[in-house]
Amino acid sequence: MTLEESIDWAGASRALAEWYRENGRHLPWRLTADPYAVWVSETMLQQTQVSRVVPLYLAWLSAFPNCRSLAEADESAVLSLWRGLGYYSRARNMLASARLIVSAGYDGPPNDQAFLAGLPGFGPYTAAAVRALAYDEPTAALDGNLRRVSSRLTDLDKDPALSEGNKVCQRAVESLMKFQSPRLLTNALMDLGSGPCAPRPRCLLCPLEPYCLARKRGTTALRPVRRAARPIRRRFGAALLFSTQTKLAVRQRPKGGLWSEFWEIPWEVGSDGEDSGVTARRLAASLGEESFPEPLTPSVTMRFTSWQVETKLFRAASQPTGTELLPVDDALSLPMPLGILRLLREALQSGLIR
DNA sequence: CATCCGTGGTT
DNA sequence: TAACCAAGGAT
C-alpha cells in the first residue's frame, strides 16, 4: 500500500482545519498576508522561538513598514533592530534581498519560485513559506515542526531532514493541501508541531490522532528519526577591558566567520583546557601589553550550537594595539556580540568603568 | 552531507 | 543541570 493510500488525507485535512479554527495561536504576523511581512516573520523565526520574535517583529515592521523602506535603510540600523536574535547574516541578507526585490520592480517578494530562490536568505523553507502563507500556493514549507508532524503521521523511519525522508514529508503535506487552504494548513501544522505534536507529544490533544500511523503502531517516541548529536565543546576565554574617564577601547572583528564585522573589546578563546588567565596574558602580550592583565569579577558564558565559552574579564594597563577609544555610550550602541555586551554591562554596574 | 552561524528557553 | 530545542541558510 502506498503512502497516499494508507492515510485518509481528506479526513485528516478536515480535522486539522477544524482544530486550527478553534485552537490556532493568535500571532501578529497572522493578521496580514502581506508578502513582505510574511518574509520578515519567517526569516526572524528561523531557529528562533516565537516568544522572542514577537516584540522584535513589531519593532521591525514599525521601523521598516514595507520593502522599499527596508531597501533604503543603512546596515547599522538593520543590525540594531536585529540585536538579540542572533544569526546576523539573516538581517544582512534581508537588506540585500530587499534591494534586489525593489530593483526588479516588485514591492515585496513575488510569487515566483525561480526569482525567490535567487535571493540571499531564501532557502527552500523561506521561499515555500512565503508562497504558501502569502499567496496560498499548495507548497510544502518544511520546517522542524512540519517534519516532526509528517514523520509521525506517516511513521517515517528515516531522518526527515535528509533527501529521502524530506520527499516523504513533502508528499504528505501536499496530500493534505489537496483538501484545504495551504495557508491555513501550514499555520495549523506549525501550531500542531508546537503543541500536541511537540517533541514531547500529547497525542490525546491531537486532532490527527485517529489518522496517525506512528500512534497506531506505538512508535511516536521514535519519530522523528535523527542522528546522534555531537558533544558540546567547552572552552575558557578572556576579554580585555581598557577604559579612560569616559572612553572604552574597542575593535572591529574581521569580515567573515563569527560576528562578522561586529565590534568587541579584545576577546580570545583559549585552546582546549587552557585557563582564562593564560589566554588573557597571551592576548594582552600580542596587543603590546607589557604587564599581566588584572583579573576582574565579571564573567559570562556564551553558548553556541555546538560549543560554549566561559569568558572572564581582565583589565589591561594600557590601550591594546588595534583598538580605538570611543565614548562608552557610543561603543555600547555598536553592533556587538551580546555576551560581550553583558560583560560590559556588568562592569558598568560594578563601577569598573568610569 | 557536515559544519558553521547566536541566543535564550525548556526539561 | 547539562542536554536539547527553536518557523534554516550558506558553503
Side-chain angles (χ1 to χ4, degrees), chain A residues 242-261:
Chain A
F242 178 78
S243 59
T244 64
Q245 285 299 323
T246 59
K247 294 186 174 179
L248 184 65
V250 295
R251 67 180 185 183
Q252 193 170 20
R253 293 179 58 81
K255 189 179 175 72
L258 186 64
W259 294 308
S260 176
E261 298 181 289

Side-chain angles (χ1 to χ4, degrees), chain A residues 5-124:
Chain A
E5 296 162 347
S6 57
I7 291 176
D8 172 9
W9 295 103
S13 187
R14 191 183 324 113
L16 192 51
E18 283 172 13
W19 175 84
Y20 180 71
R21 292 193 180 96
E22 288 297 315
N23 301 284
R25 288 174 293 180
H26 299 283
L27 300 170
W29 44 88
R30 289 184 177 171
L31 298 174
T32 174
D34 172 21
Y36 167 72
V38 169
W39 170 37
V40 172
S41 64
E42 290 308 321
T43 304
M44 286 188 167
L45 285 160
Q46 289 167 13
Q47 299 292 284
T48 309
Q49 291 174 328
V50 167
S51 60
R52 188 148 189 81
V53 168
V54 170
L56 291 163
Y57 166 84
L58 294 172
W60 180 284
L61 263 289
S62 174
F64 309 126
N66 51 50
C67 201
R68 180 170 302 277
S69 57
L70 173 58
E72 291 168 354
D74 295 333
E75 185 181 270
S76 60
V78 168
L79 288 176
S80 152
L81 282 162
W82 205 265
R83 179 180 275 190
L85 283 177
Y87 290 145
Y88 296 94
S89 66
R90 292 183 293 173
R92 290 173 161 140
N93 285 338
M94 281 202 72
L95 178 56
S97 285
R99 290 173 176 165
L100 290 170
I101 288 167
V102 169
S103 298
Y106 300 112
D107 53 8
N111 185 13
D112 178 338
Q113 168 59 29
F115 182 80
L116 294 181
L119 295 172
F122 280 78

Side-chain angles (χ1 to χ4, degrees), chain A residues 45 96 160 242 277 280 304 324 332:
Chain A
L45 285 160
F242 178 78
F304 305 90
E324 51 186 287
L332 295 184

Side-chain angles (χ1 to χ4, degrees), chain A residues 121-185:
Chain A
F122 280 78
Y125 169 75
T126 304
V130 166
R131 300 219 302 144
L133 294 172
Y135 296 102
D136 210 22
E137 287 280 330
T139 306
L142 293 183
D143 70 328
N145 286 311
L146 271 70
R147 288 201 169 94
R148 182 169 55 254
V149 173
S150 307
S151 288
R152 289 175 176 161
L153 184 60
T154 65
D155 194 30
L156 178 64
D157 62 357
K158 302 177 181 65
D159 185 336
L162 301 185
S163 63
E164 203 177 343
N166 187 71
K167 284 178 191 165
V168 174
C169 295
Q170 193 171 328
R171 278 166 47 208
V173 173
E174 286 170 357
S175 298
L176 291 169
M177 285 180 171
K178 288 176 186 165
F179 303 98
Q180 298 285 338
S181 147
R183 174 185 293 133
L184 186 152
L185 281 180

